[in-house]
Amino acid sequence: MLVAPSLLSADFGHLAQEMEWFNQSRADLLHLDVMDGVFVPNISFGFPVLKHVARLCQKPLDVHLMIVEPQKFIPQVAELGAHYMNIHYEAVTHHHRVLQQIREAGLHPAITLCPSTPVHLLQDIIGEVELVLLMSVNPGFGGQKFIPNTLRKVEQLRRLIQESGSQALIEIDGGVNLETGRQLASVGADVLVAGSFVFGTEHPSARIDALKSLT
Ligand code: DX5
Ligand code: ZN
């Protein structure tokens, strides 16, 4: 299992220290939740903070943009040297165009679905993305409870990916812990995002190891 700890639950007063242990851990990606207070009812951090995090972090960045008009920020995400640029399906009208612009900027295009957005809407753009993120909570806050219907959506997405010949990874975000992680592994998830299960706990690296061992 690939694991992407979410910085949203980190100690923002000590980001440099957080990145020190994180760089030594077995985490695969750093998940970065950007919120604008419009697309979601919360504001997190923006590019001035991300620039410092990108300098401190030695692992690939998975930028999850919970913002309206994410296409406006393609150059800034590229400048961070990010790996995935993850836009919400619900925040964009011309998905195909925006995903191509993301690729042209040298980034890996990814798309996110809210819990109420059906998987079949991806049918005509699955070939344009390298990762699909299914939200397993309503976006905006860490520490929420996992929505069990996500398991059904993972199965549907796995089928769509197989039928279309896509290589996209399936990532899940929200309420991930060892129990929900085990369920997600059994239906075919590739990447688990984990915020409050990892950051702020006594042994964060051990928790990452535990999630990584799920098959
Ligand atoms: C929620 C964010 C998540 C959040 C997950 O809107 O997209 O990435 O950090 O937090 P946990 O793992 O605590 O549910
Ligand atoms: Zn996220």
Side-chain angles (χ1 to χ4, degrees), residues 2 5 39-41 43 46 56 59 68 70 72 94 106 138 149 153 158 163 166 170 172 182-183:
L2 300 176
F39 183 72
V40 287
I43 297 175
L56 294 167
K59 297 190 188 257
V68 298
K72 285 186 181 168
H94 302 289
N138 287 296
N149 185 51
K153 291 178 77 174
R158 181 54 66 207
E163 283 164 13
S166 145
I170 301 179
I172 311 298
R182 204 168 288 129
Q183 295 169 355

Side-chain angles (χ1 to χ4, degrees), residues 36-50:
D36 65 357
V38 179
F39 183 72
V40 287
N42 197 9
I43 297 175
S44 55
F45 41 74
F47 291 99
V49 174
L50 288 175

Side-chain angles (χ1 to χ4, degrees), residues 45-68:
F45 41 74
F47 291 99
V49 174
L50 288 175
K51 253 186 238 168
H52 290 283
V53 173
R55 261 203 295 272
L56 294 167
C57 183
Q58 294 164 6
K59 297 190 188 257
L61 306 178
D62 173 26
V63 182
H64 176 195
L65 296 169
M66 286 164 272
I67 63 173
V68 298

Side-chain angles (χ1 to χ4, degrees), residues 6 8-9 31 33 35 64 66 135 137-144 173-176 193-197:
S6 164
L8 192 62
S9 292
H31 185 83
D33 291 303
M35 304 181 186
H64 176 195
M66 286 164 272
M135 289 305 302
V137 297
N138 287 296
F141 305 92
Q144 302 183 80
D173 185 5
V176 168
V193 175
S196 52
F197 183 70

Side-chain angles (χ1 to χ4, degrees), residues 189-200:
D190 299 301
V191 190
L192 298 178
V193 175
S196 52
F197 183 70
V198 170
F199 280 101

